[in-house]
Amino acid sequence: DIQMTQSPSSLSASVGDRVTLTCRAGHPITTHLNWYQQKPGKAPNLLIYAASSLQSGVPSRFSGSGSGTHFTLIISSLQPEDSATYYCQQSYNTPYTFGQGTKVEI
Amino acid sequence: QVQLVQSGGEVKKPGASVKVSCKASGYTFTSYYLHWVRQAPGQGPEWMGIINSSGGGTSYAQKFQGRVTMTRDTSTSTVYMELTRLRSDDTAVYYCAREDGAVAGIFDFWGQGTLVTVSS
């Protein structure tokens, strides 16, 4: 199984800050990397797919980059509604695996 | 609009089985694969397996082989996930998730989740 490691596990930032989340894969996965946002008591919501493609309806302040084993999710200007846990997930092969998440607090 | 509506929460004793349903609407059911993903308290999501909504073919994570069965009913646009021989560490929220139609392994719509609690 491909292990996904996210850092940091949590962070606190202010409204308007630029925030960078990191995800590392234990095996090269080209750009088969997706990011999800999850708020308490809710299902995950797809933000970014294929490492850098913005899902329809997702605000443009979210962006993703990376390939191989190192990936980043950037929130360019943090908003109050961005308070959530963010998960990366590899779709390179099964079993699809997720990271343990980064909790973002405002 | 695409909706995946799951059955309600369950409380089971160790050794029992649970069957969770996921009813799809707002799209052509047989055109998309559906997955099951679970999330234990305070943990990241964990992929369990996939079902072809059209042909019914399945593929399960090795961890769940022999304990999980995924089925579908095309007449009601519903998929089911049955997990047997439940243990306390099966306590989790179970989600169904639709796979993006173009690329494998991308989950573009999710059900609301079903909490399964395993406790004696």
Side-chain angles (χ1 to χ4, degrees):
Chain A
D1 300 2
I2 298 176
Q3 184 172 358
M4 307 300 293
T5 304
Q6 292 185 242
S7 61
S9 56
S10 66
L11 66 88
S12 182
S14 300
V15 172
D17 283 354
R18 177 183 176 92
V19 171
T20 301
L21 284 61
T22 297
C23 175
R24 291 188 182 271
H27 181 280
I29 58 171
T30 62
T31 56
H32 290 79
L33 190 284
N34 313 303
W35 290 95
Y36 299 84
Q37 177 192 67
Q38 187 177 34
K39 297 184 178 180
K42 299 294 186 182
N45 180 53
L46 179 65
L47 296 177
I48 300 284
Y49 63 94
S52 60
S53 295
L54 192 67
Q55 174 68 352
S56 175
V58 174
S60 58
R61 63 181 179 273
F62 292 93
S63 65
S65 65
S67 67
T69 61
H70 185 216
F71 301 88
T72 58
L73 173 69
I74 292 175
I75 309 173
S76 61
S77 178
L78 195 65
Q79 299 301 304
E81 61 268 30
D82 300 336
S83 179
T85 301
Y86 294 82
Y87 293 100
C88 62
Q89 173 241 336
Q90 65 83 13
S91 50
Y92 182 77
N93 62 13
T94 60
Y96 301 126
T97 46
F98 293 79
Q100 286 302 298
T102 293
K103 185 175 183 178
V104 174
E105 296 179 320
I106 311 293
Chain B
Q1 71 284 18
V2 174
Q3 281 194 301
L4 299 172
V5 179
Q6 299 182 221
S7 49
E10 304 261 14
V11 179
K12 297 292 184 180
K13 294 192 182 301
S17 300
V18 69
K19 191 171 186 177
V20 180
S21 67
C22 169
K23 182 174 177 59
S25 62
Y27 70 95
T28 301
F29 175 72
T30 52
S31 295
Y32 293 82
Y33 290 74
L34 280 164
H35 298 250
W36 287 91
V37 176
R38 76 177 188 179
Q39 188 171 29
Q43 302 298 311
E46 179 179 32
W47 181 78
M48 299 180 69
I50 179 176
I51 182 166
N52 179 336
S53 305
S54 178
T58 56
S59 177
Y60 305 136
Q62 187 170 8
K63 175 177 180 176
F64 300 102
Q65 287 277 1
R67 284 208 304 142
V68 70
T69 303
M70 297 176 189
T71 56
R72 95 281 186 238
D73 181 345
T74 56
S75 69
T76 60
S77 299
T78 303
V79 295
Y80 300 90
M81 186 283 300
E82 183 174 26
L83 190 61
T84 63
R85 304 195 302 277
L86 289 168
R87 307 184 293 253
S88 58
D89 61 358
D90 290 318
T91 294
V93 177
Y94 289 76
Y95 294 101
C96 59
R98 193 185 80 163
E99 181 174 279
D100 177 272
V103 183
I106 297 173
F107 311 129
D108 61 356
F109 286 93
W110 295 63
Q112 84 276 19
T114 298
L115 176 61
V116 175
T117 304
V118 183
S119 174
S120 55

